[in-house]
Amino acid sequence: MYVDGSSNAGDSGAGLVITGPDNFITEYALRLDFKASNNEAEYEALIAGIALATELQVSRIRVHSDSQLVVSQVNGFSEAKEEQMIKYLKKVRKEISAFEEFQIVQVP
């Protein structure tokens, strides 16, 4: 799965692509209905992707994200300090526990 979030002065959004065996590809984009930071948008993309993967009954997943912060926090290399980031991280950790295997890596 590939996830990305984006935020600017006007809008925030997130997108993801899930690939799988037999050339399976699904894409999903969402517009956030609240003002979000780039990091919040990145977490929203990850959470939406996890929800979609769960709905598709995926048991093993590797997530690619360009967010050093999100990847580092989810992998436990850095801690979330801001209240909102703590909430996002807790939600992600709870949801990924349902997967047989979960990896998240940073891509440039």
Side-chain angles (χ1 to χ4, degrees):
M1 176 169 60
Y2 297 84
V3 298
D4 197 14
S6 178
S7 179
N8 61 37
D11 292 318
S12 300
L16 59 106
V17 176
I18 296 178
T19 61
D22 301 323
N23 297 319
F24 174 83
I25 298 175
T26 188
E27 301 170 343
Y28 187 74
L30 62 140
R31 175 180 254 165
L32 304 178
D33 61 355
F34 60 93
K35 183 153 175 56
S37 70
N38 276 331
N39 292 325
E40 290 169 331
E42 293 285 347
Y43 265 114
E44 289 288 339
L46 178 57
I47 290 167
I50 290 169
L52 183 56
T54 300
E55 192 173 309
L56 293 170
Q57 300 179 345
V58 172
S59 61
R60 293 181 175 95
I61 192 161
R62 182 176 189 165
V63 178
H64 303 263
S65 171
D66 67 351
S67 173
Q68 182 178 4
L69 179 90
V70 171
V71 171
S72 182
Q73 288 178 352
V74 173
N75 283 327
F77 300 137
S78 66
E79 76 179 69
K81 296 179 182 175
E82 297 174 15
E83 183 179 342
Q84 191 60 32
M85 293 298 105
I86 292 169
K87 288 179 184 178
Y88 277 121
L89 182 56
K90 283 182 181 179
K91 182 173 180 70
V92 167
R93 286 196 174 144
K94 179 182 177 190
E95 292 182 11
I96 65 176
S97 66
F99 291 101
E100 193 174 303
E101 184 179 328
F102 179 88
Q103 294 178 315
I104 185 167
V105 296
Q106 185 193 8
V107 294

